[in-house]
Amino acid sequence: MPKIKTNSGAKKRFALTGTGKIKRKHAFHSHILTKKTKKQKRNLVHTGLVHSANEGSVKELLCMK
């Protein structure tokens, strides 16, 4: 039986925390930054957590189930 491959797009976008939650980056911080306020850009820098409703599908892409 062959090994299951991890989705390479998902492994670049998500990371695990020590408690097993999944970290993610915010969208809208890569381009067209001139029209966004300093506050908006500053708040997009911080990482967030994947919502519990989506956690199962992300774990499936990362071959964690």
Side-chain angles (χ1 to χ4, degrees):
M1 194 78 179
K3 293 181 180 179
I4 299 171
K5 288 188 177 180
T6 302
N7 184 291
S8 57
K11 72 182 173 188
K12 294 170 192 171
R13 287 171 171 81
F14 300 106
L16 280 176
T17 63
T19 56
K21 295 175 184 173
I22 303 171
K23 286 194 301 187
R24 64 171 179 85
K25 295 186 180 88
H26 282 104
F28 307 109
H29 191 61
S30 58
H31 57 81
I32 316 176
L33 298 172
T34 52
K35 62 177 78 171
K36 293 172 186 148
T37 62
K38 289 177 189 175
K39 182 180 179 180
Q40 186 179 3
K41 290 184 278 192
R42 185 172 63 242
N43 289 333
L44 289 172
V45 169
H46 308 296
T47 57
L49 294 174
V50 172
H51 194 271
S52 58
N54 300 322
E55 214 168 278
S57 57
V58 173
K59 282 185 176 181
E60 200 172 297
L61 291 171
L62 296 172
C63 297
M64 295 176 61
K65 276 192 172 179

Coordinates of all heavy atoms in Angstrom, one line a residue:
M1 N 0.8 -1.2 0.0 CA 0.0 0.0 0.0 C 0.9 1.3 0.0 O 1.8 1.4 0.9 CB -0.9 0.0 1.3 CG -2.0 0.9 1.3 SD -3.3 0.3 0.3 CE -4.5 1.5 0.5
P2 N 0.7 2.2 -0.9 CA 1.5 3.4 -1.0 C 1.2 4.3 0.1 O 0.1 4.3 0.7 CB 1.2 4.0 -2.4 CG -0.1 3.5 -2.7 CD -0.2 2.1 -2.1
K3 N 2.2 5.2 0.5 CA 2.0 6.2 1.5 C 1.0 7.3 0.9 O 1.0 7.5 -0.3 CB 3.3 6.8 1.9 CG 4.2 5.9 2.6 CD 5.5 6.6 3.0 CE 6.4 5.7 3.7 NZ 7.6 6.4 4.1
I4 N 0.3 7.9 1.8 CA -0.6 9.0 1.4 C 0.2 10.3 1.4 O 0.9 10.6 2.4 CB -1.8 9.1 2.4 CG1 -2.6 7.8 2.3 CG2 -2.7 10.3 2.0 CD1 -3.7 7.8 3.4
K5 N 0.1 11.0 0.3 CA 0.9 12.3 0.2 C 0.2 13.4 0.9 O -1.0 13.6 0.7 CB 1.2 12.6 -1.3 CG 2.1 11.7 -1.9 CD 2.5 12.2 -3.3 CE 3.5 11.3 -4.0 NZ 3.9 11.8 -5.3
T6 N 0.9 14.3 1.5 CA 0.4 15.5 2.1 C 0.2 16.5 1.0 O 1.0 16.6 0.0 CB 1.4 16.1 3.1 OG1 1.7 15.1 4.1 CG2 0.9 17.4 3.7
N7 N -0.9 17.3 1.1 CA -1.2 18.3 0.1 C -0.1 19.4 0.2 O 0.0 20.0 1.3 CB -2.6 18.9 0.3 CG -2.9 19.9 -0.7 OD1 -2.4 21.0 -0.7 ND2 -3.9 19.6 -1.6
S8 N 0.7 19.6 -0.8 CA 1.9 20.5 -0.7 C 1.4 22.0 -0.6 O 2.2 22.8 0.0 CB 2.8 20.3 -1.9 OG 2.1 20.5 -3.1
G9 N 0.3 22.3 -1.1 CA -0.2 23.7 -0.9 C -0.6 23.9 0.6 O -0.4 25.0 1.1
A10 N -1.2 22.9 1.2 CA -1.6 23.0 2.6 C -0.5 23.1 3.5 O -0.5 23.8 4.5 CB -2.6 21.9 2.9
K11 N 0.6 22.3 3.3 CA 1.7 22.3 4.2 C 2.5 23.6 4.2 O 3.2 23.9 5.1 CB 2.6 21.1 3.9 CG 3.5 21.2 2.7 CD 4.3 19.9 2.5 CE 5.0 19.9 1.2 NZ 5.7 18.6 0.9
K12 N 2.4 24.4 3.1 CA 3.0 25.7 3.0 C 2.1 26.8 3.8 O 2.7 27.8 4.2 CB 3.2 26.1 1.6 CG 4.1 25.3 0.8 CD 4.1 25.7 -0.7 CE 4.8 24.6 -1.5 NZ 4.6 24.8 -2.9
R13 N 0.8 26.5 3.9 CA -0.1 27.5 4.4 C -0.4 27.3 5.9 O -0.9 28.3 6.6 CB -1.4 27.5 3.6 CG -1.2 28.1 2.2 CD -2.4 27.9 1.4 NE -2.4 28.7 0.2 CZ -1.7 28.3 -0.9 NH1 -1.0 27.2 -0.9 NH2 -1.7 29.0 -2.0
F14 N -0.3 26.1 6.4 CA -0.8 25.9 7.8 C 0.4 25.3 8.6 O 1.3 24.7 8.1 CB -1.9 24.8 7.8 CG -3.1 25.3 7.0 CD1 -3.4 24.8 5.8 CD2 -4.0 26.3 7.5 CE1 -4.5 25.2 5.0 CE2 -5.1 26.7 6.8 CZ -5.4 26.2 5.5
A15 N 0.3 25.5 9.9 CA 1.3 25.0 10.9 C 0.5 24.6 12.1 O -0.5 25.1 12.5 CB 2.3 26.0 11.2
L16 N 1.1 23.6 12.8 CA 0.5 23.1 14.1 C 1.0 23.9 15.3 O 2.2 24.2 15.3 CB 0.8 21.6 14.2 CG -0.1 20.6 13.5 CD1 0.4 19.2 13.7 CD2 -1.5 20.7 13.8
T17 N 0.2 24.1 16.2 CA 0.6 24.6 17.5 C 1.0 23.5 18.4 O 0.7 22.3 18.1 CB -0.5 25.5 18.2 OG1 -1.6 24.6 18.4 CG2 -1.0 26.6 17.3
G18 N 1.5 23.8 19.6 CA 1.9 22.8 20.5 C 0.7 22.0 21.1 O 0.8 20.8 21.5
T19 N -0.5 22.6 21.1 CA -1.7 22.0 21.7 C -2.5 21.3 20.6 O -3.6 20.7 20.9 CB -2.6 23.0 22.4 OG1 -2.9 24.1 21.4 CG2 -1.9 23.6 23.6
G20 N -2.0 21.3 19.3 CA -2.7 20.5 18.3 C -3.6 21.3 17.4 O -4.3 20.8 16.5
K21 N -3.7 22.7 17.7 CA -4.6 23.5 16.9 C -3.8 23.9 15.6 O -2.6 23.7 15.5 CB -5.0 24.8 17.6 CG -5.9 24.5 18.8 CD -6.1 25.7 19.6 CE -6.9 25.4 20.8 NZ -7.1 26.6 21.7
I22 N -4.5 24.4 14.6 CA -3.9 24.7 13.3 C -3.8 26.2 13.1 O -4.8 26.9 13.2 CB -4.6 24.0 12.2 CG1 -4.7 22.5 12.4 CG2 -4.0 24.3 10.9 CD1 -5.6 21.8 11.4
K23 N -2.6 26.7 12.9 CA -2.4 28.2 12.7 C -2.6 28.5 11.2 O -2.3 27.6 10.4 CB -1.0 28.6 13.1 CG -0.8 28.7 14.6 CD 0.5 29.4 14.9 CE 1.8 28.8 14.3 NZ 3.0 29.4 14.8
R24 N -3.0 29.7 10.9 CA -3.1 30.1 9.5 C -2.7 31.6 9.5 O -2.7 32.3 10.5 CB -4.6 30.0 9.1 CG -5.5 30.9 9.8 CD -6.9 30.9 9.2 NE -7.8 31.7 10.0 CZ -7.9 33.0 9.9 NH1 -7.2 33.6 9.0 NH2 -8.7 33.7 10.6
K25 N -2.4 32.0 8.2 CA -2.1 33.4 8.0 C -3.4 34.1 7.5 O -4.3 33.5 7.0 CB -1.0 33.6 7.0 CG 0.3 33.0 7.5 CD 1.4 33.3 6.4 CE 2.7 32.8 6.9 NZ 2.9 31.4 6.5
H26 N -3.4 35.5 7.6 CA -4.5 36.2 7.1 C -4.4 36.5 5.6 O -3.3 36.6 5.1 CB -4.6 37.6 7.9 CG -5.2 37.4 9.2 ND1 -4.5 37.5 10.4 CD2 -6.5 37.3 9.6 CE1 -5.3 37.4 11.4 NE2 -6.5 37.2 11.0
A27 N -5.5 36.6 5.0 CA -5.5 36.9 3.6 C -5.4 38.5 3.4 O -5.5 39.2 4.4 CB -6.8 36.4 2.9
F28 N -5.3 38.9 2.2 CA -5.3 40.4 1.8 C -4.1 41.1 2.3 O -4.2 42.3 2.6 CB -6.6 41.1 2.4 CG -7.9 40.4 2.0 CD1 -8.6 39.7 2.9 CD2 -8.3 40.4 0.6 CE1 -9.8 39.1 2.5 CE2 -9.5 39.8 0.2 CZ -10.2 39.2 1.2
H29 N -3.0 40.5 2.5 CA -1.8 41.2 3.0 C -0.6 41.0 2.0 O 0.6 41.2 2.3 CB -1.4 40.6 4.3 CG -0.3 41.5 5.0 ND1 -0.5 42.8 5.3 CD2 0.9 41.2 5.4 CE1 0.6 43.3 5.9 NE2 1.5 42.3 6.0
S30 N -0.9 40.6 0.7 CA 0.2 40.4 -0.2 C 0.4 41.5 -1.2 O 1.5 41.7 -1.6 CB 0.0 39.0 -0.9 OG -1.2 39.0 -1.6
H31 N -0.7 42.1 -1.6 CA -0.5 43.2 -2.6 C -1.7 44.1 -2.5 O -2.6 43.9 -1.7 CB -0.5 42.6 -4.1 CG -1.6 41.8 -4.5 ND1 -2.8 42.3 -4.9 CD2 -1.8 40.4 -4.5 CE1 -3.6 41.3 -5.1 NE2 -3.1 40.2 -4.9
I32 N -1.6 45.2 -3.3 CA -2.6 46.3 -3.2 C -2.7 46.9 -1.8 O -3.7 47.0 -1.2 CB -4.0 46.0 -3.7 CG1 -3.9 45.2 -5.0 CG2 -4.9 47.2 -4.0 CD1 -5.2 44.7 -5.6
L33 N -1.5 47.2 -1.2 CA -1.4 47.6 0.2 C -1.5 49.1 0.3 O -1.7 49.6 1.4 CB -0.1 47.1 0.8 CG 0.1 45.6 0.8 CD1 1.5 45.2 1.3 CD2 -1.0 45.0 1.7
T34 N -1.4 49.9 -0.8 CA -1.4 51.3 -0.7 C -2.8 51.9 -0.2 O -2.8 52.9 0.5 CB -1.1 51.9 -2.0 OG1 -1.9 51.4 -3.0 CG2 0.4 51.7 -2.4
K35 N -3.9 51.2 -0.6 CA -5.2 51.7 -0.2 C -5.6 51.2 1.2 O -6.7 51.6 1.6 CB -6.2 51.4 -1.3 CG -6.4 49.9 -1.5 CD -7.5 49.6 -2.5 CE -7.1 49.8 -3.9 NZ -8.0 49.4 -4.9
K36 N -4.9 50.3 1.8 CA -5.3 49.8 3.1 C -4.6 50.7 4.2 O -3.5 51.2 4.0 CB -4.8 48.4 3.2 CG -5.6 47.5 2.3 CD -5.0 46.1 2.3 CE -5.8 45.3 1.2 NZ -5.0 44.3 0.6
T37 N -5.3 50.8 5.3 CA -4.8 51.7 6.4 C -3.7 51.0 7.1 O -3.6 49.7 7.1 CB -6.0 52.0 7.4 OG1 -6.4 50.8 7.9 CG2 -7.1 52.7 6.7
K38 N -2.9 51.7 7.9 CA -1.8 51.2 8.7 C -2.4 50.2 9.7 O -1.8 49.1 9.9 CB -1.1 52.3 9.4 CG -0.2 53.1 8.5 CD 0.4 54.2 9.4 CE 1.1 55.3 8.5 NZ 1.6 56.4 9.3
K39 N -3.5 50.5 10.3 CA -4.1 49.6 11.3 C -4.5 48.3 10.7 O -4.3 47.2 11.2 CB -5.3 50.3 11.9 CG -6.0 49.5 13.0 CD -7.2 50.3 13.6 CE -7.9 49.5 14.6 NZ -9.0 50.3 15.2
Q40 N -5.1 48.4 9.5 CA -5.6 47.1 8.8 C -4.4 46.2 8.4 O -4.4 45.0 8.7 CB -6.4 47.5 7.5 CG -7.0 46.4 6.8 CD -7.8 46.8 5.6 OE1 -7.8 48.0 5.2 NE2 -8.4 45.9 4.9
K41 N -3.3 46.8 7.9 CA -2.1 46.1 7.5 C -1.5 45.5 8.8 O -1.0 44.3 8.8 CB -1.1 46.9 6.8 CG -1.6 47.3 5.4 CD -0.6 48.1 4.6 CE -0.6 49.5 4.9 NZ 0.1 50.3 4.0
R42 N -1.4 46.2 9.9 CA -0.8 45.8 11.1 C -1.6 44.6 11.7 O -1.0 43.6 12.1 CB -0.8 46.9 12.1 CG -0.1 46.6 13.4 CD 0.1 47.8 14.2 NE -1.2 48.4 14.7 CZ -1.6 49.6 14.3 NH1 -0.9 50.4 13.5 NH2 -2.8 50.1 14.7
N43 N -2.9 44.6 11.6 CA -3.7 43.5 12.1 C -3.7 42.3 11.3 O -3.9 41.2 11.8 CB -5.2 44.0 12.3 CG -5.3 45.0 13.5 OD1 -4.5 45.0 14.4 ND2 -6.3 45.8 13.4
L44 N -3.3 42.4 10.0 CA -3.2 41.3 9.1 C -1.9 40.5 9.3 O -1.8 39.4 8.8 CB -3.3 41.7 7.6 CG -4.7 42.2 7.2 CD1 -4.6 42.8 5.8 CD2 -5.7 41.1 7.2
V45 N -0.9 41.1 10.0 CA 0.3 40.5 10.2 C 0.2 39.3 11.1 O 0.8 38.2 10.9 CB 1.4 41.5 10.8 CG1 2.6 40.8 11.2 CG2 1.7 42.5 9.7
H46 N -0.6 39.4 12.1 CA -0.8 38.3 13.1 C -1.4 37.1 12.6 O -2.3 37.1 11.7 CB -1.6 38.9 14.3 CG -1.0 40.2 14.9 ND1 0.2 40.3 15.4 CD2 -1.6 41.4 14.9 CE1 0.4 41.5 15.8 NE2 -0.7 42.2 15.4
T47 N -1.0 35.9 13.1 CA -1.6 34.7 12.7 C -2.9 34.4 13.4 O -3.1 34.9 14.6 CB -0.7 33.5 12.9 OG1 -0.3 33.5 14.3 CG2 0.6 33.6 12.1
G48 N -3.8 33.6 12.8 CA -5.0 33.2 13.5 C -5.1 31.7 13.5 O -4.2 31.0 13.2
L49 N -6.2 31.2 14.1 CA -6.4 29.8 14.1 C -7.5 29.4 13.2 O -8.5 30.2 12.9 CB -6.8 29.4 15.6 CG -5.8 29.6 16.6 CD1 -6.4 29.3 18.0 CD2 -4.6 28.7 16.4
V50 N -7.4 28.2 12.6 CA -8.4 27.7 11.7 C -9.7 27.4 12.5 O -9.6 26.9 13.7 CB -7.9 26.4 11.0 CG1 -9.0 25.7 10.3 CG2 -6.8 26.7 10.1
H51 N -10.9 27.8 12.0 CA -12.1 27.6 12.7 C -12.4 26.1 12.9 O -12.0 25.3 12.0 CB -13.2 28.3 11.9 CG -14.5 28.4 12.7 ND1 -15.5 27.4 12.7 CD2 -15.0 29.4 13.5 CE1 -16.5 27.8 13.5 NE2 -16.2 29.0 14.0
S52 N -13.1 25.8 13.9 CA -13.3 24.4 14.2 C -14.2 23.7 13.2 O -14.0 22.4 13.0 CB -14.0 24.2 15.6 OG -15.3 25.0 15.6
A53 N -15.0 24.4 12.4 CA -15.8 23.8 11.3 C -14.9 23.4 10.2 O -15.2 22.5 9.5 CB -16.8 24.8 10.9
N54 N -13.8 24.1 10.0 CA -12.9 23.8 8.9 C -11.7 22.9 9.3 O -10.9 22.5 8.4 CB -12.4 25.1 8.2 CG -13.5 25.9 7.7 OD1 -14.4 25.4 7.2 ND2 -13.4 27.2 7.9
E55 N -11.5 22.7 10.6 CA -10.4 22.0 11.1 C -10.2 20.6 10.5 O -9.2 20.1 10.2 CB -10.4 21.9 12.6 CG -9.1 22.0 13.2 CD -9.1 22.2 14.7 OE1 -9.3 23.4 15.1 OE2 -9.0 21.3 15.5
G56 N -11.4 19.9 10.3 CA -11.3 18.5 9.8 C -10.8 18.4 8.4 O -10.0 17.5 8.1
S57 N -11.3 19.3 7.5 CA -10.8 19.3 6.1 C -9.4 19.7 6.0 O -8.7 19.1 5.2 CB -11.7 20.2 5.3 OG -11.7 21.5 5.8
V58 N -8.9 20.6 6.8 CA -7.5 20.9 6.8 C -6.6 19.8 7.3 O -5.6 19.5 6.7 CB -7.2 22.2 7.6 CG1 -5.7 22.5 7.7 CG2 -7.9 23.4 7.0
K59 N -7.0 19.1 8.4 CA -6.3 18.0 8.9 C -6.3 16.8 7.8 O -5.3 16.1 7.7 CB -6.9 17.5 10.2 CG -6.6 18.3 11.3 CD -7.1 17.7 12.6 CE -6.7 18.6 13.8 NZ -7.2 18.0 15.1
E60 N -7.3 16.7 7.1 CA -7.3 15.7 6.0 C -6.3 16.0 4.9 O -5.6 15.1 4.4 CB -8.7 15.6 5.4 CG -9.0 14.4 4.6 CD -10.5 14.3 4.2 OE1 -11.4 14.3 5.1 OE2 -10.8 14.3 3.0
L61 N -6.1 17.3 4.6 CA -5.1 17.7 3.6 C -3.7 17.5 4.1 O -2.8 17.2 3.4 CB -5.3 19.2 3.2 CG -6.6 19.6 2.4 CD1 -6.7 21.1 2.3 CD2 -6.5 19.0 1.1
L62 N -3.6 17.6 5.4 CA -2.3 17.5 6.1 C -2.0 16.0 6.5 O -1.0 15.7 7.1 CB -2.1 18.4 7.3 CG -2.2 19.9 7.0 CD1 -2.2 20.7 8.3 CD2 -1.0 20.3 6.2
C63 N -2.9 15.1 6.1 CA -2.8 13.7 6.4 C -2.6 13.4 7.9 O -1.7 12.7 8.3 CB -1.7 13.1 5.6 SG -1.9 13.1 3.9
M64 N -3.5 14.0 8.7 CA -3.4 13.9 10.1 C -4.5 13.0 10.7 O -4.5 12.7 11.9 CB -3.5 15.3 10.8 CG -2.3 16.2 10.5 SD -2.5 17.8 11.2 CE -2.6 17.4 12.9
K65 N -5.4 12.5 9.9 CA -6.5 11.7 10.3 C -6.2 10.2 10.1 O -5.5 9.9 9.2 CB -7.8 12.1 9.7 CG -8.5 13.2 10.4 CD -9.9 13.4 9.9 CE -10.6 14.4 10.8 NZ -12.0 14.6 10.4

